[in-house]
Amino acid sequence: MATSRKSPPTLSIIVPVRDHARTITRVLQALKPFRERNTEIVVVDGGSRDDTVALARPLADQVIQSAPGLAQQMNEGAKVANGFIFLFLRPETQLPPDADTQVMYGRARDTAVWGRFDLRIAGRHMLLPLVARYLNWRSRASGIATGDQAIFVQRETFFRIGGFLHVPVMEDVELCERLRAISPPICVTSRVTVPGERYDRDGVWKTLRDQTAMRVRYRMGVKPERLAARYAQTQVETSPAVSSSGSAQARPRSSTPR
């Protein structure tokens, strides 16, 4: 008797991790419903020194090793992924329950080759809903997303433009700038959730000021390596690192402040 086979996945979720043993089980358990609907889960480890890899193997379709760095890890994940669409998911970003169907629906009704999600920021500060609304508006107006927004892109397009540039920060914005030249993004209104520890710790205005300053310097032509060094100086007193929306994250640390 012939055995039934799963059809090839349409969507591959690529998750770069490093030293995420404390959270990787929760992260991948949250992706289980997508996996049950034939979405491929690819975990790319950037040299963990804990049990991240062992914990991830039973909960993912593929777990591979890579040199550290978000850009490098996401590119390596794309090389082995089988989906027609790649969705790049930071481990601290939580997808909405209908993320897979929203991506497919957006692709079916739009000729765009890439997209991103609106976001909400989880935290104690009363202004976080307004901050999220502002960030979502700015992303729509500029056609630029950052990694916290779960960027997704058509496989052929991703490889045609060469994937992520290997830079320590702003790799997500730089990718979006090249994608935007091909098509505007699909803006999914279902919201991903990102933690807002930095807003709670440092305050909304200081966080927004620091994030805006880095983006302005990038627009003025400052090299990502210099931006990374400057940003690291502001974070030396804190651990773990801070992600694009002001959320704390374990390594790999390569993120774009908003």
Side-chain angles (χ1 to χ4, degrees):
M1 179 183 297
T3 58
S4 61
R5 289 175 167 235
K6 261 187 172 183
S7 59
T10 301
L11 178 66
S12 294
I13 298 177
I14 299 168
V15 189
V17 297
R18 187 180 179 195
D19 296 334
H20 280 83
R22 289 186 298 175
T23 59
I24 190 64
T25 298
R26 172 179 54 79
V27 168
L28 296 180
Q29 286 284 8
L31 300 180
K32 184 178 178 181
F34 305 120
R35 196 179 181 201
E36 291 172 347
R37 297 194 291 265
N38 202 29
T39 290
E40 180 183 44
I41 308 300
V42 179
V43 174
V44 188
D45 182 74
S48 291
R49 297 163 295 180
D50 57 17
D51 294 329
T52 298
V53 170
L55 292 169
R57 288 197 189 281
L59 301 171
D61 296 288
Q62 299 191 65
V63 179
I64 66 170
Q65 301 278 351
S66 166
L70 280 178
Q72 176 76 26
Q73 290 173 239
M74 291 187 290
N75 283 341
E76 293 301 316
K79 290 177 184 177
V80 303
N82 296 295
F84 171 69
I85 297 172
F86 301 148
L87 186 154
F88 299 97
L89 181 68
R90 304 285 173 86
E92 56 280 346
T93 298
Q94 183 179 344
L95 291 173
D98 62 346
D100 52 348
T101 56
Q102 287 293 330
V103 169
M104 295 300 105
Y105 176 67
R107 283 285 299 122
R109 64 183 175 85
D110 200 309
T111 58
V113 298
W114 71 289
R116 95 301 179 268
F117 288 76
D118 280 354
L119 62 76
R120 67 161 58 90
I121 305 172
R124 299 186 305 273
H125 202 290
M126 64 182 296
L127 292 180
L128 290 183
L130 290 178
V131 173
R133 183 178 298 181
Y134 162 69
L135 295 176
N136 293 333
W137 170 84
R138 188 176 69 182
S139 176
R140 287 173 180 273
S142 66
I144 296 292
T146 55
D148 289 337
Q149 291 177 273
I151 296 168
F152 55 91
V153 56
Q154 185 176 306
R155 176 192 189 92
E156 184 274 335
T157 302
F158 182 80
F159 288 128
R160 176 157 54 90
I161 67 172
F164 288 96
L165 188 66
H166 289 188
V167 289
V169 293
M170 310 300 287
E171 77 290 328
D172 40 12
V173 167
E174 194 279 334
L175 178 77
C176 290
E177 289 175 339
R178 285 181 285 140
L179 289 170
R180 183 180 60 179
I182 301 172
S183 78
I186 299 167
C187 296
V188 179
T189 55
S190 291
R191 293 179 294 173
V192 299
T193 301
V194 297
E197 285 95 336
R198 190 181 178 195
Y199 292 102
D200 289 336
R201 186 186 68 241
D202 296 342
V204 165
W205 304 120
K206 181 180 185 302
T207 301
L208 288 176
R209 182 196 67 195
D210 292 347
Q211 293 163 357
T212 301
M214 177 170 281
R215 289 175 70 99
V216 169
R217 292 186 183 104
Y218 174 71
R219 300 296 182 198
M220 293 175 64
V222 178
K223 297 291 187 183
E225 292 77 10
R226 288 186 59 189
L227 291 175
R230 185 183 182 96
Y231 189 55
Q233 289 176 359
T234 68
Q235 301 303 318
V236 291
E237 77 283 358
T238 65
S239 177
V242 175
S243 76
S244 306
S245 65
S247 61
Q249 64 176 353
R251 289 180 293 180
R253 208 194 91 189
S254 176
S255 57
T256 300
R258 289 185 175 278

